[in-house]
Amino acid sequence: MNMINLLLFPIIIPFFFAMILMFFKEQVVIQRVLTLIGLALSLVASCWLVATVKTEGIQTVTLGSWPAPFGISMVSDMFSALLVTTTILITFFVVLYSFSSIGIERERFFYYPAILFMITGINGAFTTGDIFNMFVFFEVLLIASYLLIVLGGEKRQLRESIKYILVNVISSAIFVIAVAYLYSVVGTLNMADISVKIAEINQPGIISVIAILFLIVFGIKGAIFPLYFWLPGSYAAPPIPVLALFGALLTKVGVYAITRTYTLFFVHDIGFTHQFLLVLSILTIIAGCIGALAYFDLKQIIIYNIIIAVGVILFGVAQMNTAGLEGAVYYLIHDMLIKGALFVLIGIIIYVTGTSNLREMGGLIKTHGTLGWTYLIAAFGLAGIPPLSGFIGKVLIAKGAFEADHAFSSVIVLASSLIVLLSVIRIFIYAFWGPQQHVLPARDQRVYRQMMLPAVMLVLITAAYGVGAEWLMPYMKDAADVLADPSIYINAVLKE
Amino acid sequence: MKTNDVILQTATKVVFFIIFLFSIHIFFVGHYAPGGGFVGGLLTTGAIVLLLLAFDLKTIQQILPFNFTIVTAIGLVLALSTAGASIFFNVPFFTHAYDDFNLPLFGKTSLHTAMFFDSGVYLVVVGSAITIIQSIGGDD
């Protein structure tokens, strides 16, 4: 059977299961089972989608059988198909981790439906080919994330959720304004059609202004340099599984949106827009590095590493050549996987020691060997030690930067790897080496093993992602080709 | 002293049905005139809020013994299954079907599956609005 709606399955299946879960508010076991089934089905669908995109090229469907620029187009190229698959994969393991860590009280209050609604929004934002529809999917994922950040009602969560909601409501309003400006200039909302129309008028000044406006909007969502102020506080408030989902997925949607708009729409005045992006990404990396070294708090160190990674990916995008874009795609997926793994791992460290302060830890390697070595592999993977996954992305990004004559700034990017390594190894040294500082609180070994299972599997996947780079490279190349040449995307959508 | 709101309650008993019928009217004309699921849902909510003002929360929960969270969920399922039915006919998602039918009472009537989608919207609006009002109002 020819499945023309295949690319919608990774969006529809989580959505469907989310609403089914609303009927079983109190039955936690049913919720857990249904969530896992839903995510497993979505994973199968998204892997199938990746295979289809690989063999048959970009998949598009325009909803309601309308012709392309008039209906809402959903477009799945290799870039979005890979991101959708990664999203579902991470969510699957984080949900497994939630079983033993989130607590029955939260599970009984729409925790799993909120996660599935958030996945719906994220996958939709990755897949949509319509700029206003992207706004709608942003709101779907944001509103679900508002629930997740406040769920539990601790004092700190309430305080930080007010900040988080305020910042996101403002950025959503700017998003609407930016779309309104863009619509009044080009008169269309379909992303492929916008790209054609901008090419026809050859990007006058107003379009560059809109480009910067979009950078501000997605920069707030994705936490780039002057707009990341809300992230460290807000992300530290919710419990670890929620933090893992946010850290691995939410900022990456903003990064995806910047990548998409800056490779599809605003490609005619690269000297201005992409130079601006380049400078901001370097500043983002520096700001993240300062934060990652400044704290002795496990959560804050990894949270600032999110900001560094956002800078590195956008630095790759700003090069606008194949090597840089390929590196950005590779690094983006690496970073989603490794951040998911690291947050789950520090969650286990916090569970074992009962604190998130590095100074109060020590000597864990004697009692929790597996945890220590798993963490070390994840830390090396994050920093980009060769056989592991962070390496190739950064090498390609640096290669792209040297090709584009940005030698000096790429030295900063490479130097940031050392600081990343230093910040995560500091956790390893403080928490796992040295003498045991105080008596560990008594913990259930069974719960600990249940928590370790998803963590070890995520770290294994990131290791395989690094070791199997040769095998994955054709996929990354397909993704980068579409980004480097907008006409491939446009022809796929507006084929008639 | 106990307040006596017999005028309010009597008026409400009449006005409720007028508002409710108007909301149903607005819901059904949505395809050809201003209206549709969202406004229709909000008007129905308005009618129920009037009942809440005239009587108390407990009485209303006895009159309308629904769990409004479930109403929202049913609305979502209805909307998604209307859109998703197109998957089984292998046409793009959200493709609607319509035709003219000869109904016994109404004569020749044009029916459109967008109506099912709109009923989903209607139920979601009513369900979520009443859930908000009940949970704020019922929080002692």
Side-chain angles (χ1 to χ4, degrees), chain B residues 81-107:
Chain B
S81 44
T82 310
S86 48
I87 292 173
F88 299 103
F89 298 99
N90 207 30
V91 287
F93 190 69
F94 248 111
T95 304
H96 286 291
Y98 55 92
D99 205 354
D100 290 334
F101 292 95
N102 268 316
L103 296 182
L105 204 57
F106 299 96

PDB file of all heavy atoms in Angstrom, chain B residues 81-107:
ATOM      1  N   SER B  81     -10.246  11.650  14.899  1.00  0.00           N
ATOM      2  CA  SER B  81     -10.693  10.521  14.068  1.00  0.00           C
ATOM      3  C   SER B  81     -11.374  11.012  12.795  1.00  0.00           C
ATOM      4  O   SER B  81     -11.289  10.345  11.769  1.00  0.00           O
ATOM      5  CB  SER B  81     -11.605   9.579  14.861  1.00  0.00           C
ATOM      6  OG  SER B  81     -12.521  10.311  15.606  1.00  0.00           O
ATOM      7  N   THR B  82     -12.015  12.201  12.843  1.00  0.00           N
ATOM      8  CA  THR B  82     -12.548  12.757  11.597  1.00  0.00           C
ATOM      9  C   THR B  82     -11.421  13.041  10.613  1.00  0.00           C
ATOM     10  O   THR B  82     -11.484  12.682   9.433  1.00  0.00           O
ATOM     11  CB  THR B  82     -13.286  14.079  11.878  1.00  0.00           C
ATOM     12  OG1 THR B  82     -14.188  13.874  12.940  1.00  0.00           O
ATOM     13  CG2 THR B  82     -14.015  14.544  10.653  1.00  0.00           C
ATOM     14  N   ALA B  83     -10.349  13.697  11.136  1.00  0.00           N
ATOM     15  CA  ALA B  83      -9.222  14.006  10.262  1.00  0.00           C
ATOM     16  C   ALA B  83      -8.494  12.733   9.855  1.00  0.00           C
ATOM     17  O   ALA B  83      -8.044  12.596   8.719  1.00  0.00           O
ATOM     18  CB  ALA B  83      -8.274  14.965  10.961  1.00  0.00           C
ATOM     19  N   GLY B  84      -8.406  11.790  10.803  1.00  0.00           N
ATOM     20  CA  GLY B  84      -7.597  10.601  10.560  1.00  0.00           C
ATOM     21  C   GLY B  84      -8.277   9.554   9.713  1.00  0.00           C
ATOM     22  O   GLY B  84      -7.625   8.657   9.178  1.00  0.00           O
ATOM     23  N   ALA B  85      -9.618   9.656   9.556  1.00  0.00           N
ATOM     24  CA  ALA B  85     -10.315   8.679   8.721  1.00  0.00           C
ATOM     25  C   ALA B  85      -9.767   8.684   7.303  1.00  0.00           C
ATOM     26  O   ALA B  85      -9.764   7.661   6.614  1.00  0.00           O
ATOM     27  CB  ALA B  85     -11.812   9.000   8.699  1.00  0.00           C
ATOM     28  N   SER B  86      -9.252   9.869   6.888  1.00  0.00           N
ATOM     29  CA  SER B  86      -8.721   9.959   5.521  1.00  0.00           C
ATOM     30  C   SER B  86      -7.538   9.020   5.310  1.00  0.00           C
ATOM     31  O   SER B  86      -7.259   8.624   4.178  1.00  0.00           O
ATOM     32  CB  SER B  86      -8.314  11.397   5.231  1.00  0.00           C
ATOM     33  OG  SER B  86      -7.536  11.898   6.288  1.00  0.00           O
ATOM     34  N   ILE B  87      -6.852   8.641   6.401  1.00  0.00           N
ATOM     35  CA  ILE B  87      -5.712   7.722   6.262  1.00  0.00           C
ATOM     36  C   ILE B  87      -6.179   6.396   5.669  1.00  0.00           C
ATOM     37  O   ILE B  87      -5.518   5.809   4.821  1.00  0.00           O
ATOM     38  CB  ILE B  87      -5.049   7.496   7.636  1.00  0.00           C
ATOM     39  CG1 ILE B  87      -4.380   8.775   8.105  1.00  0.00           C
ATOM     40  CG2 ILE B  87      -4.038   6.364   7.567  1.00  0.00           C
ATOM     41  CD1 ILE B  87      -3.857   8.699   9.503  1.00  0.00           C
ATOM     42  N   PHE B  88      -7.371   5.952   6.079  1.00  0.00           N
ATOM     43  CA  PHE B  88      -7.848   4.647   5.626  1.00  0.00           C
ATOM     44  C   PHE B  88      -8.319   4.672   4.173  1.00  0.00           C
ATOM     45  O   PHE B  88      -8.450   3.641   3.545  1.00  0.00           O
ATOM     46  CB  PHE B  88      -8.960   4.142   6.546  1.00  0.00           C
ATOM     47  CG  PHE B  88      -8.499   3.965   7.955  1.00  0.00           C
ATOM     48  CD1 PHE B  88      -8.821   4.893   8.938  1.00  0.00           C
ATOM     49  CD2 PHE B  88      -7.695   2.884   8.297  1.00  0.00           C
ATOM     50  CE1 PHE B  88      -8.370   4.742  10.229  1.00  0.00           C
ATOM     51  CE2 PHE B  88      -7.248   2.727   9.588  1.00  0.00           C
ATOM     52  CZ  PHE B  88      -7.573   3.654  10.549  1.00  0.00           C
ATOM     53  N   PHE B  89      -8.599   5.884   3.657  1.00  0.00           N
ATOM     54  CA  PHE B  89      -8.964   5.984   2.244  1.00  0.00           C
ATOM     55  C   PHE B  89      -7.763   6.364   1.388  1.00  0.00           C
ATOM     56  O   PHE B  89      -7.908   6.622   0.207  1.00  0.00           O
ATOM     57  CB  PHE B  89     -10.092   7.011   2.073  1.00  0.00           C
ATOM     58  CG  PHE B  89     -11.343   6.623   2.790  1.00  0.00           C
ATOM     59  CD1 PHE B  89     -11.654   7.155   4.040  1.00  0.00           C
ATOM     60  CD2 PHE B  89     -12.217   5.711   2.227  1.00  0.00           C
ATOM     61  CE1 PHE B  89     -12.804   6.777   4.705  1.00  0.00           C
ATOM     62  CE2 PHE B  89     -13.375   5.346   2.889  1.00  0.00           C
ATOM     63  CZ  PHE B  89     -13.669   5.871   4.129  1.00  0.00           C
ATOM     64  N   ASN B  90      -6.576   6.451   2.044  1.00  0.00           N
ATOM     65  CA  ASN B  90      -5.327   6.784   1.362  1.00  0.00           C
ATOM     66  C   ASN B  90      -5.414   8.090   0.586  1.00  0.00           C
ATOM     67  O   ASN B  90      -4.967   8.192  -0.545  1.00  0.00           O
ATOM     68  CB  ASN B  90      -4.889   5.636   0.449  1.00  0.00           C
ATOM     69  CG  ASN B  90      -3.382   5.640   0.267  1.00  0.00           C
ATOM     70  OD1 ASN B  90      -2.674   6.076   1.179  1.00  0.00           O
ATOM     71  ND2 ASN B  90      -2.910   5.198  -0.871  1.00  0.00           N
ATOM     72  N   VAL B  91      -6.025   9.081   1.212  1.00  0.00           N
ATOM     73  CA  VAL B  91      -5.970  10.444   0.693  1.00  0.00           C
ATOM     74  C   VAL B  91      -5.255  11.275   1.755  1.00  0.00           C
ATOM     75  O   VAL B  91      -5.140  10.818   2.889  1.00  0.00           O
ATOM     76  CB  VAL B  91      -7.377  11.027   0.430  1.00  0.00           C
ATOM     77  CG1 VAL B  91      -7.995  10.382  -0.785  1.00  0.00           C
ATOM     78  CG2 VAL B  91      -8.273  10.853   1.640  1.00  0.00           C
ATOM     79  N   PRO B  92      -4.746  12.476   1.418  1.00  0.00           N
ATOM     80  CA  PRO B  92      -4.040  13.254   2.436  1.00  0.00           C
ATOM     81  C   PRO B  92      -4.873  13.458   3.688  1.00  0.00           C
ATOM     82  O   PRO B  92      -6.100  13.631   3.611  1.00  0.00           O
ATOM     83  CB  PRO B  92      -3.740  14.572   1.734  1.00  0.00           C
ATOM     84  CG  PRO B  92      -3.635  14.210   0.311  1.00  0.00           C
ATOM     85  CD  PRO B  92      -4.614  13.098   0.090  1.00  0.00           C
ATOM     86  N   PHE B  93      -4.199  13.432   4.832  1.00  0.00           N
ATOM     87  CA  PHE B  93      -4.794  13.679   6.140  1.00  0.00           C
ATOM     88  C   PHE B  93      -5.687  14.907   6.068  1.00  0.00           C
ATOM     89  O   PHE B  93      -5.375  15.869   5.383  1.00  0.00           O
ATOM     90  CB  PHE B  93      -3.633  13.913   7.109  1.00  0.00           C
ATOM     91  CG  PHE B  93      -4.019  13.965   8.545  1.00  0.00           C
ATOM     92  CD1 PHE B  93      -4.459  12.835   9.194  1.00  0.00           C
ATOM     93  CD2 PHE B  93      -3.886  15.142   9.258  1.00  0.00           C
ATOM     94  CE1 PHE B  93      -4.785  12.882  10.539  1.00  0.00           C
ATOM     95  CE2 PHE B  93      -4.214  15.190  10.604  1.00  0.00           C
ATOM     96  CZ  PHE B  93      -4.660  14.066  11.232  1.00  0.00           C
ATOM     97  N   PHE B  94      -6.802  14.869   6.763  1.00  0.00           N
ATOM     98  CA  PHE B  94      -7.704  16.010   6.866  1.00  0.00           C
ATOM     99  C   PHE B  94      -8.568  16.213   5.623  1.00  0.00           C
ATOM    100  O   PHE B  94      -9.280  17.195   5.518  1.00  0.00           O
ATOM    101  CB  PHE B  94      -6.951  17.332   7.114  1.00  0.00           C
ATOM    102  CG  PHE B  94      -7.202  17.891   8.476  1.00  0.00           C
ATOM    103  CD1 PHE B  94      -6.219  17.920   9.429  1.00  0.00           C
ATOM    104  CD2 PHE B  94      -8.459  18.371   8.798  1.00  0.00           C
ATOM    105  CE1 PHE B  94      -6.470  18.408  10.688  1.00  0.00           C
ATOM    106  CE2 PHE B  94      -8.698  18.866  10.057  1.00  0.00           C
ATOM    107  CZ  PHE B  94      -7.695  18.882  11.005  1.00  0.00           C
ATOM    108  N   THR B  95      -8.526  15.293   4.639  1.00  0.00           N
ATOM    109  CA  THR B  95      -9.416  15.433   3.494  1.00  0.00           C
ATOM    110  C   THR B  95     -10.833  15.125   3.943  1.00  0.00           C
ATOM    111  O   THR B  95     -11.094  14.074   4.515  1.00  0.00           O
ATOM    112  CB  THR B  95      -9.000  14.470   2.383  1.00  0.00           C
ATOM    113  OG1 THR B  95      -7.647  14.729   2.061  1.00  0.00           O
ATOM    114  CG2 THR B  95      -9.868  14.661   1.152  1.00  0.00           C
ATOM    115  N   HIS B  96     -11.751  16.050   3.700  1.00  0.00           N
ATOM    116  CA  HIS B  96     -13.138  15.860   4.134  1.00  0.00           C
ATOM    117  C   HIS B  96     -13.983  15.292   2.995  1.00  0.00           C
ATOM    118  O   HIS B  96     -13.633  15.404   1.831  1.00  0.00           O
ATOM    119  CB  HIS B  96     -13.731  17.198   4.595  1.00  0.00           C
ATOM    120  CG  HIS B  96     -13.220  17.641   5.911  1.00  0.00           C
ATOM    121  ND1 HIS B  96     -13.536  17.000   7.084  1.00  0.00           N
ATOM    122  CD2 HIS B  96     -12.386  18.644   6.261  1.00  0.00           C
ATOM    123  CE1 HIS B  96     -12.931  17.601   8.088  1.00  0.00           C
ATOM    124  NE2 HIS B  96     -12.214  18.590   7.630  1.00  0.00           N
ATOM    125  N   ALA B  97     -15.084  14.688   3.387  1.00  0.00           N
ATOM    126  CA  ALA B  97     -16.018  14.167   2.389  1.00  0.00           C
ATOM    127  C   ALA B  97     -17.348  14.882   2.576  1.00  0.00           C
ATOM    128  O   ALA B  97     -17.696  15.292   3.681  1.00  0.00           O
ATOM    129  CB  ALA B  97     -16.200  12.662   2.579  1.00  0.00           C
ATOM    130  N   TYR B  98     -18.106  15.079   1.474  1.00  0.00           N
ATOM    131  CA  TYR B  98     -19.427  15.714   1.605  1.00  0.00           C
ATOM    132  C   TYR B  98     -20.312  15.240   0.476  1.00  0.00           C
ATOM    133  O   TYR B  98     -19.844  14.812  -0.580  1.00  0.00           O
ATOM    134  CB  TYR B  98     -19.309  17.245   1.559  1.00  0.00           C
ATOM    135  CG  TYR B  98     -18.597  17.767   0.341  1.00  0.00           C
ATOM    136  CD1 TYR B  98     -19.292  18.112  -0.813  1.00  0.00           C
ATOM    137  CD2 TYR B  98     -17.217  17.899   0.350  1.00  0.00           C
ATOM    138  CE1 TYR B  98     -18.633  18.574  -1.933  1.00  0.00           C
ATOM    139  CE2 TYR B  98     -16.545  18.357  -0.759  1.00  0.00           C
ATOM    140  CZ  TYR B  98     -17.247  18.691  -1.894  1.00  0.00           C
ATOM    141  OH  TYR B  98     -16.585  19.132  -2.990  1.00  0.00           O
ATOM    142  N   ASP B  99     -21.602  15.283   0.721  1.00  0.00           N
ATOM    143  CA  ASP B  99     -22.561  14.889  -0.312  1.00  0.00           C
ATOM    144  C   ASP B  99     -23.942  15.405   0.088  1.00  0.00           C
ATOM    145  O   ASP B  99     -24.161  15.828   1.226  1.00  0.00           O
ATOM    146  CB  ASP B  99     -22.578  13.361  -0.470  1.00  0.00           C
ATOM    147  CG  ASP B  99     -23.044  12.980  -1.871  1.00  0.00           C
ATOM    148  OD1 ASP B  99     -23.441  13.891  -2.629  1.00  0.00           O
ATOM    149  OD2 ASP B  99     -23.001  11.783  -2.197  1.00  0.00           O
ATOM    150  N   ASP B 100     -24.867  15.347  -0.870  1.00  0.00           N
ATOM    151  CA  ASP B 100     -26.258  15.704  -0.551  1.00  0.00           C
ATOM    152  C   ASP B 100     -27.019  14.444  -0.180  1.00  0.00           C
ATOM    153  O   ASP B 100     -26.859  13.397  -0.809  1.00  0.00           O
ATOM    154  CB  ASP B 100     -26.924  16.371  -1.758  1.00  0.00           C
ATOM    155  CG  ASP B 100     -26.349  17.753  -2.000  1.00  0.00           C
ATOM    156  OD1 ASP B 100     -25.852  18.350  -1.028  1.00  0.00           O
ATOM    157  OD2 ASP B 100     -26.372  18.211  -3.152  1.00  0.00           O
ATOM    158  N   PHE B 101     -27.849  14.558   0.851  1.00  0.00           N
ATOM    159  CA  PHE B 101     -28.649  13.407   1.272  1.00  0.00           C
ATOM    160  C   PHE B 101     -30.110  13.818   1.343  1.00  0.00           C
ATOM    161  O   PHE B 101     -30.410  14.978   1.601  1.00  0.00           O
ATOM    162  CB  PHE B 101     -28.201  12.909   2.650  1.00  0.00           C
ATOM    163  CG  PHE B 101     -26.836  12.302   2.641  1.00  0.00           C
ATOM    164  CD1 PHE B 101     -25.724  13.070   2.965  1.00  0.00           C
ATOM    165  CD2 PHE B 101     -26.646  10.971   2.296  1.00  0.00           C
ATOM    166  CE1 PHE B 101     -24.466  12.520   2.950  1.00  0.00           C
ATOM    167  CE2 PHE B 101     -25.389  10.423   2.282  1.00  0.00           C
ATOM    168  CZ  PHE B 101     -24.291  11.194   2.606  1.00  0.00           C
ATOM    169  N   ASN B 102     -30.982  12.850   1.105  1.00  0.00           N
ATOM    170  CA  ASN B 102     -32.404  13.097   1.294  1.00  0.00           C
ATOM    171  C   ASN B 102     -32.816  12.602   2.665  1.00  0.00           C
ATOM    172  O   ASN B 102     -32.992  11.407   2.888  1.00  0.00           O
ATOM    173  CB  ASN B 102     -33.228  12.401   0.210  1.00  0.00           C
ATOM    174  CG  ASN B 102     -33.460  13.332  -0.974  1.00  0.00           C
ATOM    175  OD1 ASN B 102     -33.776  14.508  -0.780  1.00  0.00           O
ATOM    176  ND2 ASN B 102     -33.288  12.802  -2.174  1.00  0.00           N
ATOM    177  N   LEU B 103     -32.918  13.528   3.615  1.00  0.00           N
ATOM    178  CA  LEU B 103     -33.285  13.136   4.970  1.00  0.00           C
ATOM    179  C   LEU B 103     -34.796  13.200   5.118  1.00  0.00           C
ATOM    180  O   LEU B 103     -35.447  14.014   4.449  1.00  0.00           O
ATOM    181  CB  LEU B 103     -32.618  14.073   5.976  1.00  0.00           C
ATOM    182  CG  LEU B 103     -31.094  14.016   5.993  1.00  0.00           C
ATOM    183  CD1 LEU B 103     -30.553  14.949   7.072  1.00  0.00           C
ATOM    184  CD2 LEU B 103     -30.608  12.599   6.230  1.00  0.00           C
ATOM    185  N   PRO B 104     -35.394  12.329   5.948  1.00  0.00           N
ATOM    186  CA  PRO B 104     -36.844  12.272   6.070  1.00  0.00           C
ATOM    187  C   PRO B 104     -37.484  13.610   6.431  1.00  0.00           C
ATOM    188  O   PRO B 104     -38.494  13.985   5.849  1.00  0.00           O
ATOM    189  CB  PRO B 104     -37.072  11.229   7.175  1.00  0.00           C
ATOM    190  CG  PRO B 104     -35.736  10.994   7.784  1.00  0.00           C
ATOM    191  CD  PRO B 104     -34.735  11.306   6.737  1.00  0.00           C
ATOM    192  N   LEU B 105     -36.917  14.335   7.369  1.00  0.00           N
ATOM    193  CA  LEU B 105     -37.587  15.537   7.858  1.00  0.00           C
ATOM    194  C   LEU B 105     -37.104  16.796   7.151  1.00  0.00           C
ATOM    195  O   LEU B 105     -37.857  17.703   6.848  1.00  0.00           O
ATOM    196  CB  LEU B 105     -37.370  15.649   9.365  1.00  0.00           C
ATOM    197  CG  LEU B 105     -38.401  16.469  10.147  1.00  0.00           C
ATOM    198  CD1 LEU B 105     -39.798  15.910   9.937  1.00  0.00           C
ATOM    199  CD2 LEU B 105     -38.050  16.495  11.611  1.00  0.00           C
ATOM    200  N   PHE B 106     -35.799  16.849   6.865  1.00  0.00           N
ATOM    201  CA  PHE B 106     -35.190  18.083   6.356  1.00  0.00           C
ATOM    202  C   PHE B 106     -35.211  18.176   4.841  1.00  0.00           C
ATOM    203  O   PHE B 106     -34.898  19.201   4.290  1.00  0.00           O
ATOM    204  CB  PHE B 106     -33.733  18.181   6.832  1.00  0.00           C
ATOM    205  CG  PHE B 106     -33.603  18.223   8.324  1.00  0.00           C
ATOM    206  CD1 PHE B 106     -33.352  17.079   9.048  1.00  0.00           C
ATOM    207  CD2 PHE B 106     -33.742  19.435   9.002  1.00  0.00           C
ATOM    208  CE1 PHE B 106     -33.228  17.134  10.419  1.00  0.00           C
ATOM    209  CE2 PHE B 106     -33.624  19.483  10.373  1.00  0.00           C
ATOM    210  CZ  PHE B 106     -33.366  18.328  11.085  1.00  0.00           C
ATOM    211  N   GLY B 107     -35.527  17.079   4.136  1.00  0.00           N
ATOM    212  CA  GLY B 107     -35.451  17.107   2.680  1.00  0.00           C
ATOM    213  C   GLY B 107     -34.006  16.965   2.228  1.00  0.00           C
ATOM    214  O   GLY B 107     -33.191  16.348   2.897  1.00  0.00           O
TER     215      GLY B 107
END
